[in-house]
Amino acid sequence: MVRNVFTWDSSYYSFMIMTTCFGIGLFLLLFPYGWFLLWSCRICAWICLGPWMKLFDMFYFHQFYPPPDKETNELEVPELNFDPIFESEKYRKIAKEVKIAKEEAVKFQAMREYRYGKYTEVVPFFDFSLQPSKPLPSSSARPFNAANSDINNDSLISSGYGYLPKDAIKRQRFVGQRLIGDMIPYNKAEV
């Protein structure tokens, strides 16, 4: 994936990364980041370490620390009670929807394995091949037309593996392995 970005095989991602880096570089070239960094550190230090932090400690943080006469070595941590949250109707509804979605995913995966067996394949979204295919600029593709072919015998069609009789080739579109339906999953082609 990274190689495809650097070699511009994935041109969309390469362009977006290059444009973003160019914009950030132009911004940093024109932006006085040295002055900004110096003053942001000064302001942060004054806000977080100023003399008013003593007042903040006296009036706010004193409630979290025991008085000096009642100091103990044990720290009391209140026990949190999450049971009312998990017993609420909203949480039960979400838990039921998650359980149904998980069961649907398991059912569809089992049906896909049953129907397609070893031919089940996850098609990658990105090109992860070691040798990415790069078509030549002179290459082209066109639909096969038996009337314009250079084959003398009208009953034969080139199939890429040799010549086959015309009636042996049946054009069929495969709609893929995506299943739909609730109770009994089926393919779109079966409708």
Side-chain angles (χ1 to χ4, degrees), residues 2 5 15-16 18 20 25 40 43 55 73-74 85 93 96 125 133 152 157 173 185-186:
V2 175
V5 170
F15 176 75
M16 293 306 285
M18 189 259 327
T20 304
S40 61
I43 291 170
L55 299 174
N73 291 337
E74 294 183 21
I85 296 171
K93 185 177 178 183
K96 184 177 179 181
F125 184 70
S133 62
N152 293 335
I157 293 178
R173 175 167 170 77
Y186 57 90

Coordinates of all heavy atoms in Angstrom, one line a residue, residues 2 5 15-16 18 20 25 40 43 55 73-74 85 93 96 125 133 152 157 173 185-186:
V2 N 1.9 1.3 0.9 CA 2.7 2.5 1.0 C 3.5 2.6 -0.3 O 3.7 3.7 -0.9 CB 3.7 2.4 2.2 CG1 4.7 3.5 2.2 CG2 2.8 2.4 3.5
V5 N 1.5 4.2 -3.0 CA 1.4 5.6 -2.8 C 2.6 6.3 -3.3 O 2.6 7.3 -4.1 CB 1.0 6.0 -1.4 CG1 1.1 7.5 -1.2 CG2 -0.3 5.5 -1.0
F15 N -2.0 11.9 -4.7 CA -2.3 13.3 -5.0 C -2.8 14.0 -3.7 O -2.3 15.1 -3.4 CB -3.3 13.5 -6.1 CG -3.7 14.9 -6.3 CD1 -2.9 15.8 -7.0 CD2 -4.9 15.3 -5.9 CE1 -3.2 17.1 -7.2 CE2 -5.3 16.6 -6.1 CZ -4.5 17.5 -6.7
M16 N -3.6 13.3 -2.9 CA -4.2 13.9 -1.7 C -3.0 14.1 -0.7 O -3.0 15.2 0.0 CB -5.3 13.1 -1.1 CG -6.5 13.0 -2.0 SD -7.2 14.6 -2.4 CE -7.9 15.1 -0.9
M18 N 0.2 14.4 -1.3 CA 1.1 15.4 -1.8 C 0.5 16.8 -1.7 O 1.2 17.8 -1.2 CB 1.4 15.2 -3.3 CG 2.5 16.0 -3.9 SD 2.1 17.5 -4.9 CE 0.6 17.1 -5.7
T20 N -1.7 17.8 0.6 CA -1.8 18.1 2.0 C -0.4 18.5 2.5 O -0.2 19.5 3.2 CB -2.3 16.9 2.8 OG1 -3.6 16.5 2.3 CG2 -2.4 17.2 4.3
G25 N 3.4 22.6 4.2 CA 4.7 23.2 4.0 C 4.6 24.7 3.7 O 5.4 25.5 4.2
S40 N 3.2 31.0 23.2 CA 2.3 30.0 23.7 C 2.9 29.2 24.9 O 2.2 28.9 25.9 CB 1.9 29.0 22.6 OG 3.0 28.3 22.1
I43 N 2.6 31.8 27.9 CA 1.2 31.9 28.4 C 0.8 30.6 29.1 O 0.2 30.7 30.2 CB 0.3 32.2 27.2 CG1 0.5 33.6 26.6 CG2 -1.2 32.0 27.6 CD1 -0.2 33.9 25.3
L55 N -4.2 29.9 45.5 CA -5.6 30.1 45.8 C -6.5 29.0 45.3 O -7.5 28.6 46.0 CB -6.1 31.5 45.3 CG -5.3 32.7 45.8 CD1 -5.7 33.9 45.0 CD2 -5.6 32.9 47.3
N73 N -2.8 6.5 56.1 CA -2.0 5.9 55.0 C -2.9 5.2 53.9 O -2.5 4.9 52.8 CB -1.1 4.8 55.5 CG 0.0 5.4 56.3 OD1 0.3 6.6 56.1 ND2 0.6 4.7 57.2
E74 N -4.2 5.0 54.3 CA -5.1 4.3 53.4 C -5.9 5.4 52.6 O -6.3 6.4 53.2 CB -6.1 3.4 54.2 CG -5.5 2.3 54.8 CD -6.5 1.4 55.5 OE1 -7.7 1.5 55.1 OE2 -6.1 0.6 56.4
I85 N -26.9 1.9 35.0 CA -26.7 2.2 33.6 C -26.9 1.0 32.8 O -27.6 1.1 31.7 CB -25.2 2.7 33.4 CG1 -25.0 4.0 34.2 CG2 -24.9 2.9 31.9 CD1 -23.6 4.5 34.2
K93 N -31.8 -2.1 24.8 CA -32.1 -2.0 23.4 C -30.9 -2.1 22.5 O -30.8 -2.8 21.5 CB -32.9 -0.8 23.1 CG -33.4 -0.6 21.7 CD -34.2 0.7 21.6 CE -34.7 0.8 20.1 NZ -35.4 2.0 19.9
K96 N -29.5 -5.6 22.6 CA -30.2 -6.5 21.7 C -29.9 -6.3 20.3 O -29.7 -7.3 19.5 CB -31.7 -6.3 22.0 CG -32.6 -7.2 21.2 CD -34.1 -7.0 21.6 CE -35.0 -7.9 20.8 NZ -36.4 -7.7 21.0
F125 N -9.5 -4.3 -1.5 CA -9.8 -3.0 -2.0 C -8.6 -2.3 -2.6 O -8.8 -1.5 -3.6 CB -10.4 -2.1 -0.8 CG -10.9 -0.8 -1.3 CD1 -12.0 -0.6 -2.0 CD2 -10.2 0.4 -0.9 CE1 -12.5 0.6 -2.4 CE2 -10.6 1.6 -1.3 CZ -11.8 1.8 -2.1
S133 N 0.4 -4.7 -12.0 CA 0.3 -4.7 -13.5 C 0.1 -3.3 -14.0 O -0.7 -2.5 -13.6 CB -0.9 -5.5 -13.9 OG -2.1 -5.0 -13.4
N152 N -11.8 -17.9 -40.3 CA -12.5 -18.3 -41.6 C -13.7 -19.1 -41.3 O -14.7 -19.0 -41.9 CB -11.5 -19.1 -42.5 CG -10.4 -18.2 -43.0 OD1 -10.6 -17.0 -43.1 ND2 -9.3 -18.8 -43.3
I157 N -15.2 -19.7 -32.3 CA -15.0 -18.5 -31.7 C -13.7 -18.6 -30.9 O -13.5 -19.6 -30.2 CB -16.1 -18.1 -30.7 CG1 -17.4 -17.8 -31.6 CG2 -15.8 -16.9 -29.9 CD1 -18.6 -17.4 -30.7
R173 N -23.6 -13.4 -16.5 CA -23.0 -12.4 -15.6 C -23.2 -13.0 -14.2 O -24.3 -13.4 -13.8 CB -23.8 -11.1 -15.7 CG -23.3 -10.1 -14.6 CD -23.8 -8.7 -14.9 NE -23.6 -7.8 -13.8 CZ -22.5 -7.3 -13.5 NH1 -21.4 -7.6 -14.3 NH2 -22.3 -6.5 -12.5
P185 N -31.0 -16.7 3.4 CA -30.2 -15.8 2.6 C -30.2 -16.4 1.1 O -30.1 -17.6 0.9 CB -28.8 -15.8 3.2 CG -29.0 -16.3 4.6 CD -30.2 -17.2 4.5
Y186 N -30.3 -15.5 0.2 CA -30.2 -15.9 -1.2 C -29.5 -14.8 -2.0 O -29.2 -13.7 -1.5 CB -31.6 -16.0 -1.8 CG -32.5 -14.8 -1.7 CD1 -32.5 -13.8 -2.7 CD2 -33.3 -14.6 -0.6 CE1 -33.3 -12.7 -2.6 CE2 -34.0 -13.4 -0.4 CZ -34.0 -12.5 -1.4 OH -34.8 -11.3 -1.3

